[in-house]
Amino acid sequence: MNRIDMEFDLVVIGGGTGGPMAAVKAKEKNPNLKVLLIDKAHVKRSGAISMGMDGLNNAVIPGHATPEQYVKEITIANDGIVDQEAVMAYAANSFDMIQELDRWGVKFEKDETGDYAVRKVHHLGSYVLPMPEGHHMKKILYRQLKRARVEITNRVVVTRLLTGAKGEVTGVMGFDCRTADFYVIRCKAAVITTGAAGRIGLPASGYLMGTYENPTNSGDGHAMAYHAGAALANLECFQINPLIKDYNGPACAYVTGPFGGYTANAKGERFIECDYWSGQMMLEFYRELQSGNGPVFLKLDHLAEETIGEIEHILHTNERPSRGRFHEKRGNDYRKQMIEMHISEIGFCSGHSASGIWTNARGETSVPGLYAAGDCASVPHNYMLGAFVYGRICGYNAAEYCGSTAAAAIDESAVAAERARVFAPLERSEGLTPFQIEYKTRRLVNDYLQPPKITHKYEIGLRRFDEVREDAAAMVATNPHELMRAMEAYSIIDCAEMAARSSMFRAESRWGLYHYCVDHPERDDANWFCHTLLSKGGDGQMAMSKKPVEPYIVPIDEEERDAYQRLRVERKAEAA
Amino acid sequence: MSIATTLTQVPVKVHEDKCIAEKGCTVCVDVCPLDVLAIDLVKKKAFMQFDECWYCLPCETDCPTGAVEVSIPYLLR
């Protein structure tokens, strides 16, 4: 438990997707800047794209789509609650980022003329660009980190940020998950790129780490931002995904859709017009699961052998390559039967939905010197390419901020308090294990928070979370690894409470299944056409507020406005 | 101390005849996002220390001798 003091200009927390990009771009902006990339895993294989990615889900490429069309699509897909300027900042930089990744050696699918082979998956426009050889993504990022001379610290779990007199970032604290050394890192600015909060709910399999997201993404960034005074936006807009049942990974309709695959009910019939993951799509999926036509499947068995071979190559070598061995053990063959699907546990992930640490079009949070990018930040439907684009935006802006800011003194009383909090479980010899605390929290999340949302259930859930929070004060860790799980358990409890409080605040239904409230079943634009913000109140408790939706820069026609509300395949009445 | 140890079959198997941890190799331990692998200091071989596997496969893919084999965890197989 030695104390290790370090000093940098900028610390980037999380080395998965947006983090490496932010670090590289900060160095590019100012090569003299001292930049640290810190990760609780190893940057070589950390984050959501640990094994690469099979495609870009939101490529805005000239000739196929315009930034305005994309902004419109995401505005409609997200039921109007978007900061269009922030979505536009992504869309306008999307193609430039694709070209840069191309120069770095990422291989995108191109047609015979050399143009990017863009496919249609969204309801309105075409934004999907396959990367059949996308398994090399992390290697490419690592090479750029080395070239840019970014310093890297692996296996250090960042737990809290330090702030100064004006509430600004002054440092970062954490501990080594192997040695338990305590790190105090003085810095002028920080970028949070910790990914989704993917470990709030419990997978239906009961296996704690069988989550959709990389389980390292336990909401640590959401929790540290909250405790540093940052606002978090629209947390009631949960992430719930349609996944391979039990395996709990993508099936995946984005890859198979352009080849002719689709989501079907037990009769093999299409029931949704579009497989793009929106709240409304998930609601139709949920309804079909609950109906006599359920369960729901991915249907590929009608496709030609060579098509299925290509699909197998992409799906079983990228992103979640162990899908192949799961299917093998189950006797699933894309040629012979449909693949059973289910819906995931809940999480926070702006990559697919719209909730996270509030950021504007410059990647700034509400805390001076604190930036956030990727799945943990609030720019909706951002996916991997959004994490890259916002990583770059944060890297540039944080570098600029560092240039005009002096390093502040470290608040030693805050350091002492955090050190005592972090190491308490190691000093106990009796108590509850981190596994027990985490399992119970996540089981309660499933019992009380999984939509449809019911106010009374949420009230009970909050009371139970309080009990678990009290119990957590008796957590015991017998080694630094278990200490990491104990600190993650605290992040999970924080996120569970945030999910509940945000959901209870928005007294309407919106975003399909993501915020389907039984007590308020209708969308209420008169009162709730706004963002919701959660932050730490003066009393140290979670406080909620409304934030008006920023004026649109791309107008939405009345007719298009409800396009995502009409996803169910219409069936004509049959004559009796 | 009132804490029990519950046995479980872990999803990551290390073929000890192929593992070269005794030569200083720690690749699988290094790349695991969940940090669940470790080197047995007596046997000088890698093993799965914590049952917290995301079946993501870097350990198997990056092992220079093909000594690591990942199965889907039993609970969701």
Side-chain angles (χ1 to χ4, degrees):
Chain A
M1 278 192 259
N2 299 314
R3 169 167 165 168
I4 296 171
D5 282 275
M6 298 168 103
E7 194 165 337
F8 285 87
D9 294 302
L10 174 64
V11 179
V12 180
I13 307 158
T17 311
M21 185 62 73
V24 165
K25 291 296 166 184
K27 286 292 277 187
E28 192 181 287
K29 185 90 177 173
N30 179 359
N32 297 323
L33 217 58
K34 281 197 72 185
V35 178
L36 176 69
L37 180 60
I38 195 163
D39 197 306
K40 68 178 168 182
H42 193 298
V43 171
K44 274 186 180 171
R45 286 294 196 184
S46 60
I49 61 164
S50 167
M51 290 297 278
M53 188 47 68
D54 49 35
L56 302 178
N57 295 330
N58 50 351
V60 184
I61 297 181
H64 299 277
T66 65
E68 287 74 20
Q69 282 171 333
Y70 179 80
V71 169
K72 203 184 259 192
E73 177 107 28
I74 297 308
T75 303
I76 299 167
N78 206 49
D79 288 2
I81 311 292
V82 297
D83 172 1
Q84 281 197 342
E85 190 193 352
V87 180
M88 181 58 90
Y90 160 72
N93 287 290
S94 172
F95 186 54
D96 191 52
M97 180 54 70
I98 293 168
Q99 289 175 303
E100 177 147 40
L101 292 170
D102 202 329
R103 285 194 297 276
W104 286 0
V106 177
K107 292 190 181 69
F108 299 105
E109 192 161 289
K110 293 180 182 167
D111 64 20
E112 56 280 3
T113 68
D115 184 21
Y116 293 108
V118 179
R119 314 292 175 94
K120 184 173 186 296
V121 172
H122 292 61
H123 202 31
L124 304 174
S126 301
Y127 308 101
V128 170
L129 176 58
M131 302 178 347
E133 307 303 321
H135 54 83
H136 53 349
M137 188 59 92
K138 289 292 286 186
K139 261 189 195 131
I140 289 170
L141 290 175
Y142 201 70
R143 207 184 301 141
Q144 293 299 328
L145 285 168
K146 290 286 150 191
R147 269 191 55 194
R149 296 176 191 277
V150 170
E151 289 193 48
I152 296 172
T153 296
N154 293 309
R155 304 294 173 192
V156 169
V157 185
V158 173
T159 55
R160 289 287 185 265
L161 301 163
L162 285 158
T163 49
K166 284 170 283 178
E168 80 282 13
V169 170
T170 56
V172 161
M173 295 177 287
F175 67 95
D176 187 303
C177 71
R178 291 176 178 174
T179 64
D181 285 338
F182 188 64
Y183 281 71
V184 180
I185 309 168
R186 194 158 88 125
C187 60
K188 298 174 183 172
V191 183
I192 302 182
T193 44
T194 49
R199 236 161 86 194
I200 311 179
L202 188 63
S205 67
Y207 189 68
L208 215 57
M209 302 303 178
T211 45
Y212 167 72
E213 298 288 347
N214 186 327
T216 49
N217 298 356
S218 48
D220 304 351
H222 296 74
M224 74 178 79
Y226 166 74
H227 288 290
L232 293 99
N234 299 318
L235 295 176
E236 67 280 10
C237 182
F238 292 169
Q239 168 183 238
I240 302 168
N241 296 332
L243 304 174
I244 301 169
K245 187 169 184 309
D246 299 340
Y247 179 79
N248 224 25
C252 142
Y254 286 16
V255 167
T256 59
F259 288 105
Y262 57 88
T263 307
N265 59 25
K267 296 173 180 164
E269 290 167 350
R270 215 187 268 266
F271 63 94
I272 36 177
E273 288 182 3
C274 165
D275 282 329
Y276 182 70
W277 294 1
S278 62
Q280 196 59 36
M281 180 271 190
M282 280 312 305
L283 183 58
E284 297 299 349
F285 194 111
Y286 171 79
R287 284 179 177 149
E288 203 73 0
L289 270 179
Q290 304 294 325
S291 80
N293 291 332
V296 173
F297 299 85
L298 177 68
K299 182 170 163 56
L300 301 174
D301 56 4
H302 56 292
L303 301 177
E305 172 59 34
E306 55 267 32
T307 309
I308 290 184
E310 204 176 335
I311 288 172
E312 273 179 341
H313 170 72
I314 300 171
L315 291 184
H316 301 171
T317 61
N318 274 303
E319 192 183 0
R320 299 306 310 277
S322 62
R323 284 182 271 225
R325 63 191 68 176
F326 172 82
H327 288 322
E328 200 180 327
K329 197 95 188 172
R330 280 279 168 100
N332 291 344
D333 183 340
Y334 296 145
R335 293 158 190 83
K336 296 193 178 115
Q337 63 270 100
M338 303 192 295
I339 306 302
E340 186 185 356
M341 293 177 71
H342 198 65
I343 59 174
S344 72
E345 64 283 358
I346 68 160
F348 300 146
C349 175
S350 64
H352 305 96
S353 71
S355 53
I357 303 162
W358 177 83
T359 55
N360 61 15
R362 292 173 50 80
E364 295 161 339
T365 70
S366 53
V367 168
L370 184 63
Y371 300 76
D375 284 350
C376 70
S378 66
V379 183
H381 296 237
N382 230 352
Y383 291 93
M384 178 180 72
L385 196 57
F388 284 142
V389 168
Y390 265 96
R392 178 165 72 180
I393 291 172
C394 289
Y396 283 164
N397 291 333
E400 211 167 88
Y401 175 90
C402 288
S404 61
T405 308
I410 290 290
D411 176 356
E412 283 298 335
S413 65
V415 172
E418 179 60 0
R419 190 177 173 143
R421 184 187 78 91
V422 167
F423 291 117
L426 267 188
E427 281 151 15
R428 292 186 195 106
S429 54
E430 291 277 335
L432 293 159
T433 66
F435 174 86
Q436 287 175 303
I437 293 293
E438 177 176 346
Y439 193 97
K440 191 161 182 174
T441 309
R442 293 171 60 187
R443 196 265 298 166
L444 291 170
V445 165
N446 282 23
D447 285 354
Y448 294 106
L449 268 52
Q450 184 90 18
K453 302 179 184 180
I454 298 167
T455 306
H456 286 303
K457 284 177 75 175
Y458 268 65
E459 287 165 356
I460 299 170
L462 277 172
R463 287 204 295 275
R464 303 300 314 276
F465 295 150
D466 277 347
E467 291 162 17
V468 177
R469 214 184 261 287
E470 270 175 43
D471 297 341
M475 240 187 319
V476 57
T478 63
N479 56 51
H481 179 88
E482 287 177 11
L483 187 64
M484 167 165 66
R485 297 289 175 249
M487 291 305 118
E488 289 171 343
Y490 279 121
S491 298
I492 292 164
I493 299 171
D494 282 344
C495 287
E497 185 181 338
M498 289 194 245
R501 299 218 178 267
S502 301
S503 295
M504 291 173 77
F505 182 61
R506 187 183 281 278
E508 64 154 357
S509 286
R510 194 177 287 270
W511 303 301
L513 186 63
Y514 300 162
H515 186 62
Y516 174 35
C517 296
V518 176
D519 307 318
H520 313 282
E522 301 298 325
R523 179 163 143 180
D524 176 6
D525 280 333
N527 292 301
W528 291 100
F529 186 74
C530 62
H531 302 282
T532 66
L533 293 181
L534 179 148
S535 58
K536 200 180 228 177
D539 57 355
Q541 302 297 309
M542 293 179 189
M544 297 297 313
S545 62
K546 290 183 179 183
K547 182 178 191 295
V549 171
E550 301 75 4
Y552 283 173
I553 51 175
V554 180
I556 307 294
D557 304 336
E558 265 311 299
E559 202 176 309
E560 293 167 322
R561 190 174 162 270
D562 296 325
Y564 272 76
Q565 309 296 322
R566 298 187 297 265
L567 288 180
R568 181 160 279 272
V569 172
E570 289 193 26
R571 303 223 173 272
K572 289 200 179 80
E574 284 168 35
Chain B
M1 172 134 149
S2 52
I3 288 177
T5 313
T6 307
L7 292 182
T8 186
Q9 187 205 49
V10 297
V12 178
K13 182 175 176 177
V14 176
H15 295 279
E16 295 188 350
D17 53 325
K18 291 187 195 163
C19 175
I20 53 166
E22 74 275 12
K23 292 183 180 151
C25 179
T26 58
V27 168
C28 60
V29 177
D30 291 343
V31 296
C32 174
L34 279 300
D35 208 20
V36 300
L37 304 176
I39 307 293
D40 182 322
L41 295 175
V42 178
K43 283 207 266 181
K44 303 261 192 286
K45 298 291 173 189
F47 74 108
M48 188 171 176
Q49 192 176 16
F50 302 100
D51 180 24
E52 299 165 339
C53 180
W54 192 46
Y55 37 104
C56 54
L57 307 187
C59 55
E60 183 182 304
T61 307
D62 296 350
C63 173
T65 62
V68 181
E69 190 183 331
V70 178
S71 304
I72 304 295
Y74 178 71
L75 290 184
L76 48 97
R77 201 177 288 163

XYZ file of all heavy atoms in Angstrom, chain A residues 50-107:
441
model
N -12.103 -4.979 -27.327
C -10.978 -5.839 -26.978
C -10.566 -6.777 -28.131
O -9.380 -6.967 -28.399
C -11.403 -6.657 -25.755
O -10.534 -7.699 -25.521
N -11.550 -7.351 -28.797
C -11.271 -8.269 -29.923
C -11.682 -7.648 -31.258
O -11.962 -8.353 -32.232
C -12.002 -9.593 -29.718
C -11.443 -10.418 -28.586
S -9.711 -10.935 -28.846
C -9.930 -12.382 -29.895
N -11.719 -6.319 -31.300
C -12.015 -5.649 -32.568
C -13.497 -5.395 -32.755
O -14.292 -5.561 -31.837
N -13.844 -4.967 -33.941
C -15.241 -4.617 -34.242
C -15.519 -4.971 -35.691
O -14.635 -4.860 -36.537
C -15.441 -3.113 -33.987
C -16.874 -2.604 -34.069
S -18.099 -3.574 -33.185
C -17.610 -3.283 -31.490
N -16.763 -5.404 -35.955
C -17.075 -5.907 -37.289
C -17.573 -4.844 -38.260
O -17.841 -5.138 -39.409
C -18.083 -7.059 -37.201
C -19.268 -6.691 -36.319
O -19.663 -5.509 -36.329
O -19.785 -7.577 -35.621
N -17.696 -3.609 -37.786
C -18.141 -2.584 -38.717
C -18.374 -1.260 -38.028
O -18.367 -1.174 -36.810
N -18.548 -0.222 -38.834
C -18.969 1.084 -38.332
C -20.484 1.143 -38.448
O -21.026 0.839 -39.509
C -18.344 2.209 -39.162
C -16.822 2.242 -39.245
C -16.381 3.397 -40.161
C -16.202 2.390 -37.869
N -21.153 1.499 -37.376
C -22.618 1.511 -37.388
C -23.194 2.883 -37.671
O -24.403 3.032 -37.753
C -23.150 0.996 -36.050
C -22.792 -0.463 -35.837
O -22.663 -1.217 -36.792
N -22.618 -0.841 -34.597
N -22.321 3.885 -37.786
C -22.837 5.249 -37.987
C -21.885 6.061 -38.864
O -21.553 7.183 -38.540
C -23.082 5.937 -36.643
C -21.888 5.833 -35.706
O -20.932 5.106 -35.977
N -21.921 6.563 -34.616
N -21.473 5.470 -39.974
C -20.555 6.156 -40.885
C -21.332 7.156 -41.736
O -22.301 6.793 -42.402
C -19.871 5.132 -41.787
N -20.890 8.412 -41.689
C -21.539 9.446 -42.504
C -20.595 9.754 -43.667
O -19.641 10.515 -43.518
C -21.839 10.713 -41.672
C -22.598 11.739 -42.506
C -22.634 10.354 -40.414
N -20.841 9.119 -44.803
C -19.904 9.164 -45.923
C -20.539 9.882 -47.114
O -21.646 9.518 -47.539
C -19.483 7.727 -46.309
C -18.746 7.104 -45.117
C -18.631 7.712 -47.576
C -18.264 5.700 -45.370
N -19.837 10.921 -47.629
C -20.386 11.662 -48.774
C -20.778 10.715 -49.913
O -20.066 9.745 -50.202
C -19.219 12.561 -49.205
C -18.363 12.696 -47.973
C -18.526 11.419 -47.214
N -21.910 10.994 -50.505
C -22.400 10.123 -51.572
C -23.380 9.094 -51.030
O -24.169 8.523 -51.777
N -23.288 8.821 -49.725
C -24.216 7.870 -49.102
C -25.131 8.561 -48.095
O -26.275 8.152 -47.915
C -23.441 6.754 -48.398
C -22.581 5.963 -49.323
N -23.063 4.924 -50.083
C -21.261 6.074 -49.638
C -22.082 4.423 -50.820
N -20.973 5.105 -50.574
N -24.583 9.568 -47.421
C -25.375 10.295 -46.421
C -24.727 11.637 -46.157
O -23.523 11.807 -46.388
C -25.445 9.497 -45.125
N -25.517 12.573 -45.668
C -24.973 13.869 -45.269
C -25.067 13.989 -43.748
O -25.907 13.328 -43.124
C -25.769 15.028 -45.896
O -27.105 14.998 -45.357
C -25.823 14.923 -47.404
N -24.237 14.857 -43.149
C -24.348 15.080 -41.701
C -25.754 15.503 -41.288
O -26.255 15.070 -40.254
C -23.329 16.200 -41.450
C -22.297 16.011 -42.510
C -23.068 15.556 -43.723
N -26.414 16.311 -42.135
C -27.773 16.766 -41.795
C -28.743 15.580 -41.730
O -29.566 15.492 -40.825
C -28.282 17.788 -42.827
C -27.624 19.155 -42.734
C -26.184 19.166 -43.263
O -25.816 18.244 -44.039
O -25.421 20.071 -42.876
N -28.628 14.670 -42.724
C -29.498 13.485 -42.709
C -29.266 12.656 -41.452
O -30.198 12.150 -40.837
C -29.221 12.601 -43.940
C -29.853 13.122 -45.214
C -29.374 12.337 -46.435
O -28.277 11.779 -46.442
N -30.208 12.300 -47.455
N -27.992 12.526 -41.082
C -27.667 11.717 -39.902
C -28.240 12.357 -38.635
O -28.835 11.675 -37.801
C -26.143 11.532 -39.777
C -25.782 10.730 -38.548
C -25.884 9.342 -38.552
C -25.378 11.354 -37.367
C -25.599 8.598 -37.416
C -25.090 10.625 -36.228
C -25.190 9.248 -36.261
O -24.926 8.525 -35.135
N -28.060 13.663 -38.507
C -28.581 14.364 -37.323
C -30.094 14.169 -37.227
O -30.650 13.926 -36.156
C -28.203 15.860 -37.358
C -28.952 16.645 -36.282
C -26.696 16.035 -37.195
N -30.748 14.235 -38.388
C -32.190 14.047 -38.440
C -32.557 12.621 -37.997
O -33.451 12.419 -37.169
C -32.649 14.292 -39.887
C -34.090 14.679 -40.025
C -34.456 14.797 -41.490
C -34.485 16.241 -41.953
N -35.129 16.348 -43.291
N -31.844 11.650 -38.526
C -32.134 10.235 -38.207
C -32.016 9.982 -36.698
O -32.872 9.350 -36.080
C -31.171 9.310 -38.966
C -31.342 7.829 -38.647
C -32.004 7.027 -39.763
O -31.856 7.421 -40.937
O -32.669 6.025 -39.454
N -30.941 10.498 -36.094
C -30.713 10.239 -34.668
C -31.700 11.031 -33.809
O -32.158 10.562 -32.772
C -29.242 10.562 -34.284
C -28.292 9.638 -35.054
C -29.006 10.420 -32.782
C -28.593 8.153 -34.954
N -32.067 12.218 -34.278
C -33.081 12.996 -33.557
C -34.389 12.205 -33.497
O -35.017 12.083 -32.435
C -33.326 14.352 -34.247
O -32.082 15.045 -34.333
C -34.321 15.197 -33.476
N -34.768 11.639 -34.637
C -36.032 10.891 -34.696
C -35.903 9.578 -33.916
O -36.782 9.220 -33.132
C -36.427 10.627 -36.173
C -36.633 11.954 -36.903
C -37.688 9.777 -36.233
C -36.703 11.806 -38.421
N -34.775 8.887 -34.104
C -34.577 7.593 -33.425
C -34.561 7.782 -31.919
O -34.900 6.870 -31.172
C -33.276 6.948 -33.889
N -34.164 8.975 -31.456
C -34.080 9.209 -30.017
C -35.238 10.084 -29.514
O -35.096 10.794 -28.521
C -32.726 9.826 -29.660
C -32.334 9.505 -28.236
O -32.396 8.356 -27.823
N -31.983 10.514 -27.465
N -36.350 9.994 -30.209
C -37.592 10.668 -29.795
C -37.406 12.153 -29.519
O -38.027 12.714 -28.607
C -38.191 9.967 -28.567
C -38.803 8.614 -28.930
O -38.714 8.224 -30.117
O -39.354 7.946 -28.041
N -36.533 12.783 -30.285
C -36.398 14.244 -30.254
C -35.493 14.801 -29.177
O -35.125 15.971 -29.227
N -35.134 13.984 -28.179
C -34.360 14.499 -27.043
C -32.873 14.407 -27.363
O -32.176 13.483 -26.926
C -34.680 13.718 -25.743
C -36.186 13.608 -25.528
C -33.996 14.373 -24.547
C -36.878 14.905 -25.213
N -32.369 15.314 -28.161
C -30.946 15.330 -28.485
C -30.437 16.771 -28.512
O -31.196 17.701 -28.786
C -30.640 14.698 -29.873
C -31.024 13.239 -29.912
C -31.339 15.447 -30.994
N -29.162 16.924 -28.223
C -28.480 18.184 -28.449
C -27.937 18.072 -29.874
O -26.913 17.447 -30.112
C -27.351 18.343 -27.426
C -26.470 19.555 -27.709
O -26.747 20.279 -28.686
O -25.508 19.758 -26.946
N -28.670 18.640 -30.814
C -28.297 18.449 -32.227
C -26.895 18.957 -32.537
O -26.204 18.390 -33.387
C -29.317 19.131 -33.141
C -30.589 18.331 -33.325
C -31.384 18.806 -34.535
O -31.172 19.909 -35.041
N -32.311 17.982 -34.991
N -26.485 19.998 -31.856
C -25.147 20.529 -32.107
C -24.089 19.461 -31.784
O -23.091 19.314 -32.494
C -24.914 21.789 -31.262
C -23.655 22.539 -31.650
C -23.248 23.598 -30.631
O -24.011 23.866 -29.685
O -22.140 24.143 -30.787
N -24.323 18.714 -30.694
C -23.376 17.662 -30.308
C -23.407 16.495 -31.288
O -22.378 15.899 -31.608
C -23.673 17.186 -28.887
N -24.599 16.152 -31.773
C -24.699 15.074 -32.765
C -24.046 15.536 -34.075
O -23.336 14.762 -34.742
C -26.169 14.650 -33.000
C -26.259 13.532 -34.036
C -26.819 14.198 -31.697
N -24.253 16.811 -34.410
C -23.651 17.363 -35.628
C -22.121 17.395 -35.531
O -21.427 17.134 -36.518
C -24.206 18.774 -35.889
C -23.669 19.427 -37.149
S -24.006 18.453 -38.654
C -25.603 19.132 -39.141
N -21.603 17.694 -34.343
C -20.142 17.707 -34.183
C -19.580 16.321 -34.493
O -18.495 16.179 -35.064
C -19.766 18.120 -32.760
N -20.334 15.277 -34.122
C -19.929 13.928 -34.509
C -20.047 13.743 -36.023
O -19.080 13.363 -36.703
C -20.781 12.845 -33.790
C -20.674 11.566 -34.553
C -19.488 10.848 -34.520
C -21.681 11.160 -35.426
C -19.313 9.740 -35.324
C -21.512 10.056 -36.228
C -20.336 9.349 -36.175
O -20.143 8.266 -36.983
N -21.245 14.030 -36.551
C -21.539 13.717 -37.955
C -20.592 14.443 -38.910
O -20.117 13.867 -39.892
C -22.990 14.073 -38.272
N -20.292 15.712 -38.584
C -19.458 16.517 -39.477
C -18.012 16.017 -39.489
O -17.267 16.265 -40.436
C -19.508 17.979 -39.049
N -17.604 15.304 -38.438
C -16.228 14.805 -38.351
C -16.112 13.310 -38.627
O -15.016 12.750 -38.573
C -15.659 15.107 -36.961
C -15.357 16.595 -36.811
O -14.442 17.109 -37.432
N -16.155 17.279 -36.012
N -17.244 12.695 -38.901
C -17.280 11.242 -39.081
C -16.391 10.781 -40.255
O -15.535 9.904 -40.103
C -18.737 10.819 -39.314
O -18.833 9.479 -39.672
N -16.577 11.411 -41.413
C -15.848 10.955 -42.603
C -14.351 11.196 -42.479
O -13.529 10.353 -42.866
C -16.413 11.646 -43.855
C -15.800 11.121 -45.131
C -15.805 9.757 -45.417
C -15.223 11.987 -46.047
C -15.236 9.258 -46.588
C -14.655 11.501 -47.223
C -14.659 10.133 -47.498
N -14.006 12.341 -41.908
C -12.592 12.648 -41.717
C -11.929 11.589 -40.824
O -10.795 11.156 -41.066
C -12.489 14.036 -41.065
C -11.067 14.544 -41.070
O -10.465 14.534 -42.157
O -10.571 14.922 -39.997
N -12.643 11.148 -39.791
C -12.114 10.115 -38.897
C -11.973 8.775 -39.626
O -10.990 8.063 -39.449
C -13.033 9.984 -37.669
C -12.612 8.941 -36.655
S -10.917 9.108 -36.039
C -11.027 10.587 -35.039
N -12.947 8.454 -40.473
C -12.868 7.203 -41.244
C -11.616 7.219 -42.124
O -10.870 6.239 -42.190
C -14.132 7.013 -42.120
C -15.357 6.797 -41.233
C -13.963 5.858 -43.092
C -16.686 6.884 -41.968
N -11.370 8.371 -42.757
C -10.191 8.472 -43.622
C -8.896 8.352 -42.821
O -7.930 7.750 -43.270
C -10.234 9.793 -44.396
C -11.305 9.789 -45.465
C -11.422 11.144 -46.133
O -11.649 12.162 -45.472
N -11.248 11.166 -47.436
N -8.902 8.937 -41.630
C -7.710 8.832 -40.788
C -7.474 7.381 -40.365
O -6.354 6.871 -40.415
C -7.828 9.744 -39.564
C -6.633 9.597 -38.620
C -6.259 10.890 -37.905
O -7.178 11.614 -37.495
O -5.041 11.155 -37.774
N -8.552 6.704 -39.951
C -8.424 5.294 -39.559
C -7.947 4.459 -40.748
O -7.139 3.537 -40.603
C -9.772 4.759 -39.045
C -10.270 5.347 -37.715
C -11.720 4.920 -37.462
C -9.388 4.926 -36.545
N -8.439 4.800 -41.917
C -8.027 4.122 -43.146
C -6.508 4.278 -43.343
O -5.795 3.307 -43.610
C -8.804 4.729 -44.334
C -8.865 3.783 -45.532
O -7.919 3.003 -45.715
O -9.854 3.844 -46.284
N -6.020 5.507 -43.138
C -4.569 5.755 -43.266
C -3.790 4.987 -42.199
O -2.658 4.556 -42.431
C -4.271 7.255 -43.126
C -4.632 8.085 -44.337
C -4.003 9.484 -44.274
N -4.468 10.286 -43.153
C -5.589 11.008 -43.171
N -6.370 11.023 -44.237
N -5.935 11.724 -42.111
N -4.381 4.820 -41.031
C -3.702 4.100 -39.949
C -3.665 2.583 -40.200
O -3.007 1.857 -39.470
C -4.414 4.360 -38.608
C -4.172 5.723 -38.036
C -3.412 6.722 -38.576
C -4.693 6.238 -36.806
N -3.429 7.830 -37.748
C -4.201 7.558 -36.652
C -5.520 5.718 -35.806
C -4.502 8.358 -35.553
C -5.828 6.521 -34.713
C -5.326 7.816 -34.584
N -4.444 2.125 -41.187
C -4.399 0.709 -41.520
C -5.656 -0.084 -41.207
O -5.679 -1.306 -41.357
N -6.737 0.609 -40.785
C -8.007 -0.102 -40.564
C -8.584 -0.454 -41.932
O -8.621 0.386 -42.831
C -8.998 0.780 -39.770
C -10.338 0.074 -39.613
C -8.418 1.140 -38.399
N -9.016 -1.697 -42.085
C -9.536 -2.136 -43.391
C -11.056 -2.096 -43.419
O -11.717 -2.828 -42.710
C -9.046 -3.553 -43.686
C -7.545 -3.620 -43.928
C -7.134 -4.984 -44.461
C -5.640 -5.046 -44.684
N -4.875 -5.031 -43.407
